[in-house]
Amino acid sequence: MENNTKSKYIHLHALELDKILERASLLTSCDDARQLMLSVTPQKELSRVNALLSETNDAHSLTGRFGSPSFGGLVNITDSLKRSKTGSALSTAELLQTAKVLHVIRSLTEWRKRFATTHTVLDARFDMLSPNRFLEEKITSSILSEDEIADNATPELAAIRRKIRITSSRARELLEKMIRSSVVQKYLQDNIITMRNGRFVIPVKAECRGNVPGLVHDTSSSGQTVFVEPMSVVEANNDIKVLESKEQDEIARILYMLTSSVAENANSIIKSYETAVELNVIFAKAELAYKMKATMPLMNDKGIIELKKARHPLIDPERVVALDVMLGKSFDTLIITGPNTGGKTVSLKLIGLLTLMAMCGFMIPAAENSSLSVFDCVYADIGDEQSIEQSLSTFSAHITNTINILKSCTDRSLVLLDELGAGTDPVEGAALAIAILQSFREKGVKTACTTHYAELKEYALQTNGVENGSCEFDVTTLRPTYKLLIGVPGRSNAFAISLRLGMDKSIVENAEKLVSSENREFENVVSALEERQQALDLKMQEADEYKRNAEAVRQKAERELEKVRKEAEQEIEKARKQAKDIMSKTKAQADTILSELEAARKKAELNAEERTSIKSKLKELENTADPIHKKTNDNYVLPRELKPGDEVIIVDLDKEATVLEKPDKSGRVLVEAGIMQMRVNISNLRLAESKKKKISFTPTRKPLNRSNSDIKAVTQIDLRGMTAVEAILELEAAIDSAMLSHINQITVIHGKGTGVLRQEVHKYLRSCKYIKSFRLGTFGEGESGVTIIEMR
C-alpha cells in the first residue's frame, strides 16, 4: 500500500502538479494555508470535484465583482488558545496575535456582508466564521504593544500609575532643589538626576561622599563618582517601588482576565481560524485562475476529455500554443506522433496536468465548455527514468514503470506514456508497444502515448477506438507549429530537415531509396493527409473570418435598427410636446377671448370694432388648434436639377428631407424624411438653402385693454383642482388685477395634496418681477395649503 501511494506521487511529480501547487501556495497569506495548499491531492469522486470547482468558481466570480478579501494577519494561535483553557495566562504577544486573528475573521465577515444578496456555495463557510469584536477591542484597547499595557486597561491600573507619576514628580522636585543648591552643587560630579536600581539618585564626587547624607547605590567605572540616594527622597523612592510592585500585580491580573475571556471563546476562534485558512486556499486558487485566464471545466466520470484551446500553465503565456485535445469519446487510445521538439510530450503532459488540476479544484487555462473526467488515478511514464542505482537502462526503466502501471490501473484510470517502446530494437519495440496498448484497452483504460514508430501509426489507422494525433511541423521553416492535429498521423520529416540543414542531396536521395516501398507509400499518404489538413485549416480560418464579418454586419444592423427605433420614439415624443404646446396656447387664447366676452356681457352690447376683434381672435384660435397648414410652392423654380444627397424641404408639410434618387419620368422624387421614405412631386420641393425659417410659437398673455372700472379687485384666488398650466394662467390674471387695483397682498389657495401645484406656484412667483415676497401660511391662515403674496 505504501509503495502504491509513493508511486502515485511519482506520477503527480512527472506531470508537474507540484509546481502548480507551489505557485498557488505563494498566493496564500499564512503558513498554514501555504502548507494546506501544498498538501492538496486530486479527488476521485465526481461530486467532491464538482464541489471544489464550484467553490473556486464562486471565489473567482466574487473576486472579479468585489475584489479579493484580505487574509493578512492570519497566524496559528491554536496552541496558545488550548493553553488558555488550562488556566495558564497568555503573554501580551499571544493576546495581540489573538486580537489580530479576530480582526481578520471580522473583516472577512464584513467583506461577505457587501454582497449579502448574492448567494454562493461559499456561504456555508462564511457562516462558520464567528467574529468577536468585543473581545478583539478589549485586547487591543488594553494592550498597546508587547511591552506596554494601556493606562485605561482597568481603573485600578490607571490609579496606580497616577500615584507613581505623582510620587516620582515629588521625588524629582526634592532632588532638583538639592542640585540647584549652592551648598550641594560643589559636591556633585554633574548637576543631573539619574536612576540606579529603579531609584532616583544624584552623582556625587567620591571624595565628598560624607558631605551628602544618603544611601550609595552604585559607583562609576572610574571610581570617581558615587550615586547617592539622599535621605530626603528615600521614602518617596520606597513608595514608588511599592506602587510599581502593585502595578505588576495589576498587569498580571489584567492578562489573566483577558486570558480567561479568550479561553471562553477558544473553540469558536479555533474553528473560525481553520475556516479562514480554508477560505484563503480557495481564494488563492481563484487568484491563480485570474493569472492563468482560466475557466471552469465541465466534469464527468466517463473518461471523456475534450479540451478547447487549452494552454500549458507552466509555459510562458507569450509563447504557449493553444491546443484542442480529445480522448475517451469516440476513441479510448490516442497515439501522438511527430518530429522531436515538436510538442508531443507537452501535449501529453497537458492532458494529465489539466486533469489533475481539475480534480484538485483548480480552474484550467482553456476555453469555455472544455470537458475533463475524474479518474481513480492518473499514471504517467514521461522523460528519461534511467535508474543508476538499479543499473537499469532507459528502456528497462520505462518497461519497469509500464509493468507497475499495468498492475495498478483500472477501467477508471488515465495512462500517459512518452515514447512507448523506445530504447530497443525498432521492430521488437513497435510490436511490444502495440501489445501494451492492446492490454490497456482490454482493461478499459483511457490511454495517450507518443511514439516515432510507423507501425503504431498503422495500428491506429486500422483499429477502431484508436486514433492518430500529430504535432504539426512546417517543413519550409524547419520549425514546429506546436499544433496538435487529431486524426492525422505525423511524420518524422528527417529527410526534409536534413536537406534544410545542408546535407548533400545525393546522400538524402540514397537514404530515401533504402526505405521500403511500403514505408514510402505510407509516408506519401501521411504527407497527403497533412496537406489536406492544412488546406482544411485555411478554409476553416476563412470560414471563421466570414463568420466574424457576418456577425459584425448583424451587430451593425441591430445598432441601426435600435437607432431608428429611438429616432421614432423621439419623433413621437416631439409630436406629443408640440400637441401639448398647442393645447397650452389654445387654452390661453380661449381664456383671453372668454374674458373679453365676459366684459362685453357686462356692457350688454358690442360695438362693430369689438365684434371684429373677437372674430379675428376666434379665427386665430382655430388656426392655432389646427397646426397642419397647406402650403404652396408659390411658383418656385428649382435653381438646378436635384441629385441624390440634396437637402430639400417638402413645402406642403414644411418638413426637411434628403433626396435619395433623381426624379423619375413622371417628375416624382424619392426622399427620406426622418424614418420615412416617400415619393414627392418635384413641384412640391425646395432646396434647403432657400427654406424659410420656422416660426416658433410661445404662449403669451396679451394684456387686456381694460379701464380700472372694469377690474374686479382680487385678494384671494383658489387654484385647487386645476392643472399646473391652468393654475399659472389664473394666477397671472389675479396678479394683473391686483396691480391695477393697487392691492398689496393676495392669498393663493393651492391645497396640500402631493405638493406639485405648490411647487409650480412658487416656481412662477420666484420669476415674477411684480412680487416682493411670498410665504406659506401660518396657523389659522391655512398653513402649507396656502401661499401669502406681497406685491411690490
Side-chain angles (χ1 to χ4, degrees):
M1 181 67 182
E2 182 180 351
N3 291 334
N4 189 32
T5 304
K6 182 178 179 182
S7 174
K8 291 181 180 180
Y9 280 113
I10 292 173
H11 298 303
L12 300 184
H13 178 75
L15 293 171
E16 301 178 299
L17 177 64
D18 55 325
K19 293 182 180 179
I20 296 296
L21 297 179
E22 178 65 30
R23 182 178 292 185
S25 71
L26 298 177
L27 302 176
T28 57
S29 301
C30 69
D31 290 338
D32 283 357
R34 191 169 296 111
Q35 292 303 317
L36 183 59
M37 180 70 80
L38 292 174
S39 65
V40 167
T41 55
Q43 301 298 306
K44 302 177 183 180
E45 297 298 326
L46 179 61
S47 58
R48 176 59 179 158
V49 171
N50 280 329
L52 292 174
L53 284 171
S54 296
E55 287 182 337
T56 306
N57 188 52
D58 282 358
H60 182 267
S61 176
L62 292 174
T63 299
R65 294 175 59 188
F66 306 102
S68 179
S70 174
F71 293 91
L74 272 182
V75 62
N76 193 336
I77 56 172
T78 303
D79 291 341
S80 299
L81 294 173
K82 289 180 179 178
R83 199 172 71 255
S84 71
K85 295 169 66 176
T86 65
S88 300
L90 300 182
S91 66
T92 54
E94 290 173 316
L95 288 168
L96 286 175
Q97 286 180 342
T98 303
K100 190 179 293 185
V101 170
L102 287 171
H103 176 73
V104 175
I105 294 170
R106 179 168 60 85
S107 67
L108 289 174
T109 305
E110 291 175 350
W111 182 84
R112 174 65 181 85
K113 290 179 181 177
R114 291 169 54 189
F115 52 93
T117 57
T118 303
H119 299 291
T120 70
V121 296
L122 296 174
D123 291 350
R125 292 190 183 272
F126 278 103
D127 291 340
M128 291 171 66
L129 297 174
S130 301
N132 192 330
R133 187 165 191 164
F134 175 78
L135 179 56
E136 174 196 343
E137 293 181 348
K138 188 176 181 180
I139 294 173
T140 54
S141 63
S142 299
I143 305 175
L144 302 180
S145 69
E146 293 184 12
D147 303 318
E148 184 179 3
I149 303 295
D151 289 352
N152 59 355
T154 62
E156 292 81 2
L157 182 62
I160 292 170
R161 287 184 172 176
R162 184 168 59 254
K163 291 177 181 178
I164 290 175
R165 288 192 294 271
I166 293 172
T167 307
S168 298
S169 177
R170 186 171 71 248
R172 292 186 67 88
E173 287 177 0
L174 292 172
L175 291 174
E176 284 176 358
K177 288 181 180 179
M178 291 185 67
I179 63 176
R180 287 198 300 267
S181 170
S182 57
V183 176
V184 178
Q185 278 183 356
K186 58 186 177 182
Y187 306 126
L188 300 179
Q189 197 71 260
D190 290 300
N191 294 337
I192 61 172
I193 301 171
T194 185
M195 295 192 77
R196 288 294 185 275
N197 301 321
R199 303 176 77 87
F200 290 107
V201 296
I202 55 177
V204 179
K205 296 175 182 178
E207 63 271 17
C208 302
R209 163 69 189 86
N211 300 104
V212 181
L215 304 175
V216 176
H217 286 277
D218 198 6
T219 305
S220 66
S221 57
S222 63
Q224 296 180 0
T225 305
V226 292
F227 295 93
V228 177
E229 177 187 8
M231 296 305 296
S232 57
V233 297
V234 168
E235 184 179 354
N237 277 334
N238 289 339
D239 291 341
I240 292 173
K241 296 297 288 184
V242 171
L243 290 170
E244 287 177 345
S245 178
K246 290 183 178 180
E247 179 188 25
Q248 292 304 313
D249 291 341
E250 182 61 20
I251 289 174
R253 192 181 73 84
I254 292 170
L255 295 180
Y256 183 79
M257 177 183 65
L258 293 174
T259 301
S260 298
S261 299
V262 169
E264 292 174 1
N265 298 276
N267 291 335
S268 65
I269 297 174
I270 292 173
K271 188 62 178 178
S272 296
Y273 168 75
E274 292 172 348
T275 302
V277 169
E278 293 170 356
L279 285 170
N280 191 195
V281 169
I282 294 170
F283 278 91
K285 289 181 180 179
E287 187 175 348
L288 182 64
Y290 265 107
K291 292 181 180 294
M292 296 190 305
K293 298 180 180 178
T295 62
M296 180 177 171
L298 304 176
M299 299 302 297
N300 64 83
D301 56 1
K302 304 182 185 303
I304 298 174
I305 296 174
E306 189 172 359
L307 295 173
K308 302 175 182 179
K309 300 188 182 304
R311 309 175 303 279
H312 197 291
L314 299 177
I315 298 178
D316 184 356
E318 300 295 328
R319 296 175 51 245
V320 68
V321 176
L323 303 179
D324 293 336
V325 184
M326 291 178 290
L327 177 64
K329 193 171 185 179
S330 57
F331 53 90
D332 55 35
T333 303
L334 176 64
I335 299 175
I336 304 173
T337 53
N340 290 329
T341 70
K344 300 191 303 297
T345 303
V346 170
S347 302
L348 205 63
K349 284 187 174 182
L350 179 68
I351 296 172
L353 180 56
L354 295 196
T355 298
L356 292 174
M357 286 177 62
M359 290 170 64
C360 290
F362 287 95
M363 299 168 71
I364 62 170
E368 294 282 353
N369 298 320
S370 291
S371 298
L372 286 170
S373 177
V374 174
F375 296 97
D376 63 357
C377 190
V378 178
Y379 298 97
D381 177 43
I382 297 175
D384 186 0
E385 298 294 337
Q386 181 174 352
S387 172
I388 297 176
E389 293 180 359
Q390 300 177 15
S391 300
L392 297 177
S393 66
T394 300
F395 174 76
S396 299
H398 281 302
I399 291 300
T400 301
N401 287 342
T402 304
I403 292 171
N404 291 331
I405 294 172
L406 281 167
K407 291 179 180 178
S408 305
C409 66
T410 69
D411 60 349
R412 294 189 65 246
S413 299
L414 172 65
V415 174
L416 307 171
L417 304 171
D418 191 24
E419 297 296 346
L420 180 60
T424 187
D425 178 78
V427 176
E428 294 181 353
L432 184 60
I434 292 174
I436 291 171
L437 290 178
Q438 288 176 338
S439 179
F440 279 129
R441 295 197 67 213
E442 290 172 0
K443 286 192 167 190
V445 177
K446 302 298 182 291
T447 309
C449 69
T450 66
T451 185
H452 282 287
Y453 293 143
E455 290 84 352
L456 288 179
K457 304 175 191 177
E458 295 176 8
Y459 170 69
L461 290 172
Q462 298 170 0
T463 308
N464 291 331
V466 182
E467 189 61 85
N468 272 306
S470 63
C471 291
E472 191 179 54
F473 189 86
D474 191 337
V475 180
T476 58
T477 61
L478 286 182
R479 291 183 178 179
T481 64
Y482 300 106
K483 292 181 180 178
L484 181 64
L485 307 177
I486 303 295
V488 180
R491 295 186 298 161
S492 63
N493 296 293
F495 296 154
I497 294 173
S498 299
L499 280 174
R500 279 287 181 179
L501 293 176
M503 182 170 285
D504 190 276
K505 186 176 181 181
S506 61
I507 297 175
V508 176
E509 290 176 349
N510 188 34
E512 290 177 341
K513 292 177 183 178
L514 295 175
V515 176
S516 66
S517 60
E518 291 84 358
N519 281 340
R520 281 200 299 272
E521 290 176 3
F522 180 75
E523 289 292 325
N524 289 336
V525 170
V526 172
S527 178
L529 283 172
E530 285 186 352
E531 292 175 0
R532 185 178 178 184
Q533 181 69 36
Q534 290 173 355
L536 287 173
D537 287 344
L538 288 175
K539 289 183 179 180
M540 286 293 293
Q541 291 176 6
E542 292 176 359
D544 289 342
E545 183 66 25
Y546 287 137
K547 182 179 179 181
R548 285 194 294 271
N549 291 338
E551 181 65 19
V553 170
R554 185 187 66 80
Q555 292 178 356
K556 182 179 179 181
E558 287 181 352
R559 289 195 297 270
E560 290 294 331
L561 182 62
E562 181 66 15
K563 181 180 178 182
V564 169
R565 186 186 64 78
K566 288 183 178 179
E567 287 179 353
E569 289 178 353
Q570 290 173 356
E571 289 292 331
I572 294 172
E573 184 62 28
K574 182 179 178 181
R576 287 197 187 102
K577 185 176 180 183
Q578 288 177 345
K580 185 176 180 180
D581 290 343
I582 291 171
M583 288 179 61
S584 298
K585 179 177 176 62
T586 304
K587 180 71 168 59
Q589 291 179 338
D591 287 345
T592 302
I593 294 172
L594 289 174
S595 298
E596 293 184 2
L597 287 173
E598 178 64 20
R601 185 185 64 78
K602 292 180 180 179
K603 292 172 60 178
E605 61 179 8
L606 294 172
N607 55 41
E609 182 179 351
E610 288 172 336
R611 284 196 296 270
T612 302
S613 174
I614 291 175
K615 286 181 180 180
S616 174
K617 289 179 180 177
L618 287 172
K619 182 63 177 177
E620 181 182 353
L621 177 63
E622 181 181 349
N623 293 336
T624 301
D626 182 11
I628 305 301
H629 302 285
K630 189 70 174 179
K631 298 186 178 181
T632 61
N633 219 351
D634 300 328
N635 298 321
Y636 173 82
V637 178
L638 289 169
R640 59 175 174 79
E641 184 178 350
L642 292 178
K643 57 184 180 181
D646 282 343
E647 298 292 329
V648 295
I649 296 176
I650 304 173
V651 177
D652 60 351
L653 297 179
D654 194 23
K655 186 75 174 177
E656 293 182 3
T658 302
V659 176
L660 300 179
E661 296 178 359
K662 290 184 177 181
D664 58 17
K665 294 180 180 180
S666 61
R668 296 171 65 80
V669 183
L670 180 63
V671 298
E672 185 179 58
I675 62 173
M676 299 178 59
Q677 293 185 3
M678 64 186 79
R679 290 193 177 274
V680 182
N681 195 292
I682 194 170
S683 62
N684 194 26
L685 299 177
R686 290 192 182 194
L687 281 174
E689 55 265 25
S690 303
K691 68 181 180 180
K692 294 182 180 180
K693 293 184 179 179
K694 295 183 180 180
I695 301 173
S696 60
F697 295 95
T698 303
T700 56
R701 289 182 69 257
K702 296 182 181 180
L704 299 177
N705 297 323
R706 302 178 182 177
S707 64
N708 290 348
S709 61
D710 295 331
I711 303 300
K712 181 179 179 179
V714 177
T715 59
Q716 179 175 295
I717 179 172
D718 190 348
L719 306 179
R720 289 175 294 181
M722 298 184 184
T723 64
V725 175
E726 294 171 343
I728 297 305
L729 291 173
E730 289 295 330
L731 182 58
E732 285 181 334
I735 291 173
D736 288 345
S737 175
M739 289 292 293
L740 294 174
S741 302
H742 304 290
I743 293 174
N744 295 326
Q745 183 173 295
I746 304 175
T747 299
V748 180
I749 304 173
H750 43 63
K752 297 179 181 179
T754 61
V756 174
L757 189 58
R758 180 179 67 247
Q759 292 175 2
E760 292 297 325
V761 168
H762 287 186
K763 182 178 178 182
Y764 170 76
L765 292 177
R766 291 189 189 97
S767 61
C768 183
K769 62 183 179 179
Y770 304 116
I771 305 304
K772 181 178 181 181
S773 65
F774 63 91
R775 62 176 175 80
L776 290 174
T778 60
F779 181 75
E781 293 179 326
E783 300 180 349
S784 61
V786 303
T787 296
I788 310 300
I789 302 173
E790 185 178 352
M791 308 294 295
R792 289 187 182 278

